[in-house]
Amino acid sequence: PSYMNDLLSYIYQHKSSFPTLLNDMLASEPDAYLNMNTGDLMMQKYGDYGGALNAVGLSSTGHPYSIAVYTYCLSNGTSVIGDINEICYNYFNK
């Protein structure tokens, strides 16, 4: 997660070099994972492999922040990812 967060920070700082990537991330699962509870779109990349479910992303509006949430062997992993991002979104966008 720490490495992915560093990567997201780099992408954000150099976003003019990555327009296709950021547009693809913005279109990725607009109603799930990090986007589940906020009513706002995150630029996100999600993954599911062998019980590990994760999502990393950048805010597209409001106060900028990056987030990396990794879960393992949870039946409600998608909800956990959405709930954690909702907490962060509300904190950064008071």
Side-chain angles (χ1 to χ4, degrees):
S2 178
Y3 175 77
M4 288 303 297
N5 215 25
D6 289 346
L7 179 62
L8 290 169
S9 294
Y10 180 86
I11 290 169
Y12 181 80
Q13 292 169 3
H14 301 90
K15 49 187 166 188
S16 63
S17 298
F18 301 102
T20 302
L21 173 64
L22 293 172
N23 284 332
D24 289 348
M25 289 174 68
L26 190 59
S28 178
E29 293 292 339
D31 297 320
Y33 301 99
L34 298 173
N35 293 322
M36 183 177 285
N37 300 331
T38 62
D40 196 8
L41 286 178
M42 298 282 293
M43 293 174 269
Q44 67 176 345
K45 162 63 175 97
Y46 62 93
D48 185 355
Y49 181 76
L53 181 66
N54 62 70
V56 301
L58 295 164
S59 62
S60 61
T61 61
H63 184 82
Y65 69 96
S66 62
I67 186 169
V69 182
Y70 285 57
T71 68
Y72 183 69
C73 288
L74 295 178
S75 62
N76 64 339
T78 303
S79 295
V80 169
I81 290 169
D83 292 346
I84 290 172
N85 187 53
E86 180 181 17
I87 292 166
C88 294
Y89 181 86
N90 289 337
Y91 175 80
F92 287 118
N93 292 286
K94 292 181 186 180

